[in-house]
């Protein structure tokens, strides 16, 4: 069977390759860096529960829809939306939904690269033994030192950006497929080791309680929005990444089955990261709501004290870097695919243009942590603003659009054939896409702006 290689980023050799690539896109900084710190900021258990409900009730059906639309469209998200709208005789303006996704990916990439740069800097710090026999104060101090130093962050941000572009410019070939095959299980094993460490030397019960004991008095509408936004972010939904990846999925592969595997693996990694981190936070009297620095201020403590911690520390940050890399290529790929297909640029030119503008925006993000931290809008610095705008607004909106298109605008017959679900399951999926997913996003938005 032959597939149109429109975006030139390769085609999956098998179902397994697709699962790895899509899991690679889903599992990233969102699981290991972001999930623990936003859980910390939003009070723990109840937040986790809302997040899990959003993954199951909204994330799963939208992921199926997005892969399904990608496979039918075979192109970048904008052209795919154009084609699907045309096929089902709908308004061509549905292509703007693809445009919103391309833009969201681009904006996320600018700050994602800065944070991934932190992981690179921590590989080196660990390598040079900065954390051997360390204590909480010193670890905190090292993190603050890095935050205050724009040049250090810009260098690592540049290295990460260059690494991403080097992969993207070649297209995703056997090299990446092969490396993910090894990296994903390795990441899993290191996380298990960290959990074992946290179990023996941390306040394990307290960590467990924090993560799973739901106290709803601790969350408000903004926390619910954050949990919902994070469900989109962590599953790479609502912006075309999964759509582009789905465009290379062989016809015979079952979309519902692969979706369950990808979302399951993603959720598992996030929960494991929480289990590894919170016991250490409590045992060391660290601030659970300390924000984006949380993992960088807790895990080095574990590495500094456990046997073999030096090596595990290096390995962990290398894996974090790879997890970020397999996500970042999917963040920028929709923009590259669009530039090459619709702006007649070569892949190299597209990478240079998109990469350069992302890189520049990333530098502004670096400044928002130090010399530019007083520039705020609605009380948020540039990093917080970009994060809020993309994860909490653009991705849920994009996801809502995808659910509406798949549920209402596509011919039922086409969706049914593409998904291959049995009749009752298909009806459930259609109900979730038609009513629950868009309705939930809409209600949360209303609530946040204070209308409800
Ligand atoms: N899912 C990735 C993570 O959790 C981030 C991402 C978002 C990647 C959107 C692609 C698209 O880190």
């Amino acid at each position: 069977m032959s597939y149109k290689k429109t975006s030139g980023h390769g085609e999956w050799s098998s179902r397994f390759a697709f699962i790895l690539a899509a899991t690679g896109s889903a599992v990233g900084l969102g699981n290991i860096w972001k999930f623990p710190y936003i859980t910390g900021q939003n009070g723990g258990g109840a937040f986790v529960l809302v997040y899990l409900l959003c993954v199951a009730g909204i994330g799963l059906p939208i992921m199926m829809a997005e892969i399904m639309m990608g496979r039918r469209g075979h192109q970048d998200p904008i052209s795919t939306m154009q084609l699907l709208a045309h096929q089902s005789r709908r308004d061509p303006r549905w292509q703007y939904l693809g445009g919103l996704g391309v833009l969201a990916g681009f904006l996320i990439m600018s700050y994602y690269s800065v944070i991934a740069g932190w992981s690179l800097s921590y590989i080196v710090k660990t390598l040079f033994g900065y954390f051997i026999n360390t204590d909480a104060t010193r670890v905190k101090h090292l993190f603050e030192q890095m935050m205050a130093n724009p040049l250090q962050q810009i260098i690592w941000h540049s290295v990460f950006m260059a690494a991403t572009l080097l992969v993207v410019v070649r297209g995703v070939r056997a090299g990446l497929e092969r490396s993910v095959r090894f990296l994903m299980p390795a990441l899993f094993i290191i996380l298990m080791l960290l959990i074992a460490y946290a179990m023996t030397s941390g306040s394990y019960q307290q960590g467990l309680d924090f993560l799973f004991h739901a106290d709803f008095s601790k969350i408000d509408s903004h926390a619910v929005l954050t949990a919902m936004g994070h469900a989109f972010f962590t599953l790479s939904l609502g912006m075309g990444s999964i759509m582009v990846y789905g465009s290379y999925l062989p016809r015979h592969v079952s979309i519902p089955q692969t979706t369950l595997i990808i979302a399951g693996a993603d959720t598992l990694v996030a929960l494991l990261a929480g289990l590894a981190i919170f016991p250490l936070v409590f045992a060391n009297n660290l601030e659970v709501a300390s924000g984006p620095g949380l993992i960088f201020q807790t895990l080095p403590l574990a590495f500094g004290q456990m046997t073999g911690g030096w090596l595990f520390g290096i390995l962990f940050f290398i894996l974090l870097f790879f997890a970020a890399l397999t996500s970042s290529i999917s963040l920028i790929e929709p923009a590259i695919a669009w530039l090459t297909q619709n702006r007649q640029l070569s892949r190299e030119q597209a990478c240079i243009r998109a990469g350069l503008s992302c890189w520049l925006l990333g530098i502004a993000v670096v400044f928002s942590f130090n010399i530019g931290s007083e520039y705020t809008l609605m009380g948020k610095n540039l990093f917080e603003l970009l994060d809020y705008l993309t994860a909490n607004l653009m991705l849920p909106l994009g996801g809502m659009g995808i659910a509406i298109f798949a549920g209402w605008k596509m011919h039922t017959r086409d969706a049914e054939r593409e998904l291959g679900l049995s009749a009752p399951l298909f009806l459930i999926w259609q109900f979730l896409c038609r009513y629950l997913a868009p309705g939930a996003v809409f209600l949360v938005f209303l609530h946040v702006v204070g209308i409800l």
Side-chain angles (χ1 to χ4, degrees):
M1 196 177 282
S2 74
Y3 294 93
K4 208 166 127 198
K5 275 201 257 177
T6 38
S7 81
H9 75 166
E11 68 186 29
W12 315 124
S13 52
S14 62
R15 172 183 115 111
F16 186 56
F18 169 73
I19 291 178
L20 281 177
T23 309
S25 165
V27 174
L29 298 176
N31 308 61
I32 302 166
W33 160 74
K34 193 172 179 191
F35 172 73
Y37 94 73
I38 55 175
T39 300
Q41 285 174 330
N42 289 286
F47 177 85
V48 175
L49 192 66
V50 178
Y51 152 77
L52 291 175
L53 287 176
C54 289
V55 166
I58 307 176
L60 284 179
I62 293 185
M63 187 181 259
M64 285 187 213
E66 206 173 320
I67 299 176
M68 185 256 289
M69 286 160 66
R71 184 157 76 179
R72 281 193 78 77
H74 271 334
Q75 293 164 76
D76 69 272
I78 301 180
S79 316
T80 286
M81 286 314 300
Q82 230 169 8
L83 180 75
L84 294 181
H86 176 75
Q87 277 178 353
S88 18
R89 302 194 201 304
R90 303 293 176 184
D91 195 321
R93 279 176 296 183
W94 274 101
Q95 62 177 298
Y96 295 132
L97 182 61
L100 180 80
V102 170
L103 181 66
F106 176 83
L107 295 177
I108 296 175
M109 182 60 198
S110 68
Y111 70 82
Y112 205 84
S113 170
V114 175
I115 313 295
W118 296 354
S119 74
L120 286 172
S121 150
Y122 270 65
I123 296 175
V124 177
K125 286 187 176 42
T126 318
L127 189 71
F128 282 109
Y130 278 40
F131 302 121
I132 293 173
N133 292 327
T134 190
D135 57 47
T137 329
R138 185 171 146 72
V139 173
K140 186 167 187 277
H141 177 69
L142 276 172
F143 180 74
E144 283 166 357
Q145 227 175 20
M146 180 181 75
M147 296 297 275
N149 184 338
L151 191 64
Q152 193 190 121
Q153 289 184 74
I154 290 173
I155 291 172
W156 292 120
H157 155 58
S158 312
V159 174
F160 184 80
M161 202 73 204
T164 303
L165 293 174
L166 274 177
V167 177
V168 175
V169 79
R170 296 201 189 116
V172 182
R173 301 240 170 87
L176 193 88
E177 259 187 49
R178 222 180 302 138
S179 55
V180 180
R181 244 172 245 254
F182 156 75
L183 289 167
M184 284 306 166
L187 183 70
F188 192 77
I189 292 170
I190 297 259
L191 274 177
M192 298 302 279
L193 279 174
L194 280 174
I195 293 173
Y197 174 80
M199 264 173 103
T200 49
S201 47
S203 304
Y204 201 68
Q205 195 55 42
Q206 217 179 335
L208 215 58
D209 281 350
F210 183 74
L211 208 50
F212 295 115
H213 179 75
D215 174 0
F216 282 93
S217 66
K218 288 196 181 142
I219 56 171
D220 55 11
S221 62
H222 273 100
V224 174
L225 177 70
T226 310
M228 184 181 75
H230 188 65
F232 283 98
F233 184 89
T234 189
L235 295 175
S236 307
L237 294 181
M239 52 135 303
S241 285
I242 290 292
M243 202 183 263
V244 174
Y245 276 20
S247 68
Y248 299 99
L249 187 62
R251 292 246 150 246
H252 60 271
V253 173
S254 154
I255 292 178
Q257 249 179 29
T258 43
T259 300
L260 279 178
I261 298 173
I262 297 162
D266 185 74
T267 310
L268 189 66
V269 173
L271 293 177
L272 291 180
L275 285 178
I277 287 159
F278 288 114
L280 297 177
V281 172
F282 292 115
N284 293 287
N285 288 322
L286 297 170
E287 177 52 61
V288 71
S290 65
L294 189 65
I295 66 162
F296 296 96
Q297 294 176 29
T298 46
L299 294 183
L301 272 176
F303 297 130
Q305 282 151 21
M306 69 203 268
T307 348
W310 177 76
L311 190 65
F312 287 137
I314 297 172
L315 276 179
F316 175 80
F317 286 116
I318 291 179
L319 291 171
L320 188 60
F321 159 63
F322 278 112
L325 190 64
T326 52
S327 299
S328 67
I329 53 169
S330 75
L331 275 166
I332 202 161
E333 178 63 21
I336 304 291
W338 178 70
L339 284 172
T340 48
Q341 283 165 36
N342 295 287
R343 290 285 172 271
Q344 268 71 49
L345 295 182
S346 69
R347 216 170 156 81
E348 288 77 12
Q349 286 168 326
C351 280
I352 291 174
R353 284 207 199 170
L356 211 62
S357 8
C358 254
W359 179 73
L360 283 174
L361 189 57
I363 291 183
V365 171
V366 167
F367 290 150
S368 75
F369 293 122
N370 35 66
I371 54 179
S373 60
E374 75 275 17
Y375 294 103
T376 56
L377 193 70
M378 297 177 311
K380 293 184 186 341
N381 64 26
L382 182 66
F383 160 71
E384 291 161 343
L385 208 62
L386 282 175
D387 178 38
Y388 189 84
L389 189 73
T390 51
N392 292 5
L393 301 179
M394 292 172 90
L395 299 189
L397 260 182
M400 184 170 157
I402 287 168
I404 293 175
F405 191 88
W408 293 100
K409 306 290 174 183
M410 266 178 88
H411 295 309
T412 299
R413 186 173 20 91
D414 292 343
E416 204 167 5
R417 198 174 324 124
E418 201 74 52
L419 287 177
L421 284 167
S422 63
L425 285 178
F426 179 76
L427 281 180
I428 297 178
W429 171 80
Q430 204 178 36
F431 171 81
L432 295 175
C433 277
R434 283 191 166 178
Y435 303 102
L436 189 89
V441 175
F442 190 64
L443 284 182
V444 176
F445 278 167
L446 284 188
H447 216 288
V448 170
V449 292
I451 296 180
L452 209 76

